[in-house]
Amino acid sequence: MNSIPKQKKQISLSQFIIEEQLKIPGASGEFSALLNHLVYASKIVAREVRKAGLLHDILGSTDETNVQGETQMKLDQYADNAFNQSLKICGHLCALASEEHEEIIPIPSGYAIGKYTMAIDPLDGSSNIDTNVSIGTIFSIHQRLEPSSKAPGTEKDLLQKGSLQRCAGYIIYGSSTMLVLSTGKSVVGFTLDPSLGEFLLSHPDMKMPDSGSIYSANEGNASYWGKEVQDYIAHIKSIEGGKKPKTGRYIGSLVADFHRNLLKGGIFLYPNDTKSSKYPNGKLRLLYEAAPMAYIAEQAGGMAVTVKGERILDLEPKSLHERTTLVIGSKQEVLEFLSFVK
Ligand code: AHG
Ligand code: MN
Ligand code: MN
């Protein structure tokens, strides 16, 4: 008799979340349910990204600008709606912040108020949408300051430092769709199987190589950078003494640039403009870009600092859309950068 071929054991994200929940005595399941709502919305966005340009009029920009004065793309708005609709009524959040909304998004009346807050960049890499280049979503979850409170959450609940995140992660809509997250124990990656509509565990324990040969920065801005950053970049490109220069790779979507460097090793820099008034504090937003990526980086053995050398996870956010400089990547590379900081 023919035996049934052995099937490789595949763990879905839903299974993984249940197993993880079982390891925490007394866990209420609230956090697991919150993640499930996030995952559901991410599948809706992934579906739309995959067929952008085909059936729907989803490419291109809208006539609107967001709170930061940036033109909103149609897909920015679509993703923002998909995540908001799913998350604000899920019963596990007390407040939600999104790149696309100036103020916090309250929980609609009649819906349960939970003990978590989420800050989200619904669509990261907007400038790449129309050109079929990888884009992403970034999220950061904190527990509210008074976990037992049933009152609506406030801005204070969201303005907590990155080191206090309960979970952070991103979704990359690339050659495949992947969800990478950490709850503070390790970094795990799941790949969306489009035929099942399920994220399956594909990267059980992601570690960033201790060093790496890739550097990622928008060098078009190099003349605006401070001297320390300019000196560091000149150093890693130098061939003095037979040194091999690093390899430049820059996509312009933080999620995709970070994901590549997480797998291959390297460093990503978004410094501030010291000679123009465009981004005096850097471009990336602390709450929903820098802090969640820094959390993943550290959990994977990497580091994340500002151009002044401060640890990103120690920064105390002062406002929802505050910007920061970001230097993030393999430990040895970030340490080398720090040796250039006065
Ligand atoms: P968003 O699309 O969410 O506004 O973020 C864009 C960010 C980030 O993804 C990327 O690293 C950076 O902007 C790219 O900026 P430049 O085009 O200035 O290089
Ligand atoms: Mn972004
Ligand atoms: Mn965005």
Side-chain angles (χ1 to χ4, degrees):
M1 211 168 79
N2 287 341
S3 59
I4 302 168
K6 265 210 178 127
Q7 227 188 335
K8 198 175 150 222
K9 193 175 175 224
Q10 289 195 307
I11 300 170
S12 71
L13 178 55
S14 326
Q15 277 171 295
F16 181 87
I17 291 173
I18 293 168
E19 304 284 347
E20 287 302 298
Q21 190 191 318
L22 286 173
K23 289 183 198 161
I24 307 167
S28 62
E30 261 191 82
F31 183 71
S32 309
L34 171 58
L35 277 184
N36 279 327
H37 280 83
L38 177 84
V39 167
Y40 174 67
S42 77
K43 289 181 196 170
I44 294 178
V45 175
R47 184 187 64 186
E48 213 59 29
V49 168
R50 292 283 165 240
K51 60 183 186 193
L54 262 185
L55 304 170
H56 301 268
D57 184 20
I58 194 88
L59 295 179
S61 54
T62 66
D63 298 331
E64 288 157 58
T65 51
N66 67 13
V67 49
Q68 351 228 345
E70 298 160 343
T71 305
Q72 284 182 317
M73 305 298 284
K74 289 180 193 165
L75 211 52
D76 276 328
Q77 285 189 353
Y78 184 89
D80 182 53
N81 274 333
F83 283 106
N84 291 351
Q85 295 312 324
S86 174
L87 289 166
K88 68 186 180 187
I89 60 162
C90 79
H92 309 296
L93 289 179
C94 66
L96 176 62
S98 159
E99 179 193 348
E100 307 305 333
H101 296 257
E102 182 161 8
E103 310 283 344
I104 58 173
I105 301 158
I107 306 306
S109 64
Y111 289 92
I113 291 180
K115 63 177 176 189
Y116 294 104
T117 65
M118 191 181 297
I120 191 160
D121 178 353
L123 217 291
D124 174 67
S126 306
S127 67
N128 285 322
I129 292 174
D130 284 358
T131 51
N132 214 341
V133 175
S134 297
I135 47 182
T137 294
I138 312 174
F139 61 92
S140 160
I141 300 173
H142 280 91
Q143 186 167 291
R144 68 183 302 175
L145 296 171
E146 278 295 336
S148 56
S149 169
K150 290 290 163 224
T154 66
E155 214 173 272
K156 266 192 164 173
D157 290 304
L158 275 148
L159 299 180
Q160 300 189 53
K161 25 183 210 185
S163 58
L164 298 172
Q165 288 170 103
R166 290 303 172 104
C167 176
Y170 60 85
I171 297 128
I172 176 166
Y173 312 102
S175 47
S176 59
T177 299
M178 264 191 84
L179 186 145
V180 173
L181 67 85
S182 176
T183 53
K185 278 176 276 170
S186 60
V187 179
V188 278
F190 300 83
T191 301
L192 184 64
D193 179 335
S195 63
L196 283 174
E198 272 284 356
F199 281 101
L200 302 177
L201 184 62
S202 51
H203 297 65
D205 186 13
M206 301 177 82
K207 292 280 178 230
M208 193 173 235
D210 217 35
S211 63
S213 62
I214 294 173
Y215 80 99
S216 325
N218 184 344
E219 275 193 276
N221 297 326
S223 305
Y224 295 137
W225 296 341
K227 185 156 179 347
E228 293 89 344
V229 179
Q230 287 175 341
D231 287 350
Y232 168 73
I233 295 289
H235 168 74
I236 60 177
K237 285 161 62 175
S238 153
I239 53 166
E240 254 172 55
K243 221 164 74 56
K244 221 175 147 227
K246 287 199 182 295
T247 300
R249 290 279 185 276
Y250 188 71
I251 296 168
S253 296
L254 173 63
V255 167
D257 279 307
F258 176 83
H259 184 70
R260 182 203 51 241
N261 293 2
L262 172 63
L263 296 175
K264 301 257 181 202
I267 187 165
F268 170 97
L269 305 97
Y270 209 111
N272 54 326
D273 292 348
T274 59
K275 299 178 191 81
S276 96
S277 52
K278 199 166 175 208
Y279 296 122
N281 303 316
K283 180 182 183 186
L284 300 173
R285 278 60 53 107
L286 175 58
L287 274 191
Y288 44 81
E289 291 180 319
M293 290 314 211
Y295 190 79
I296 296 283
E298 286 201 6
Q299 288 296 321
M303 286 178 75
V305 297
T306 65
V307 290
K308 290 186 185 150
E310 304 137 301
R311 181 182 177 229
I312 293 286
L313 293 183
D314 285 338
L315 299 178
E316 297 270 5
K318 308 233 166 12
S319 61
L320 291 181
H321 304 285
E322 148 178 10
R323 296 181 194 261
T324 179
T325 56
L326 177 65
V327 178
I328 188 167
S330 293
K331 198 170 178 182
Q332 294 310 323
E333 310 315 323
V334 178
L335 287 175
E336 185 174 38
F337 169 80
L338 287 174
S339 71
F340 283 76
V341 178
K342 307 259 151 37

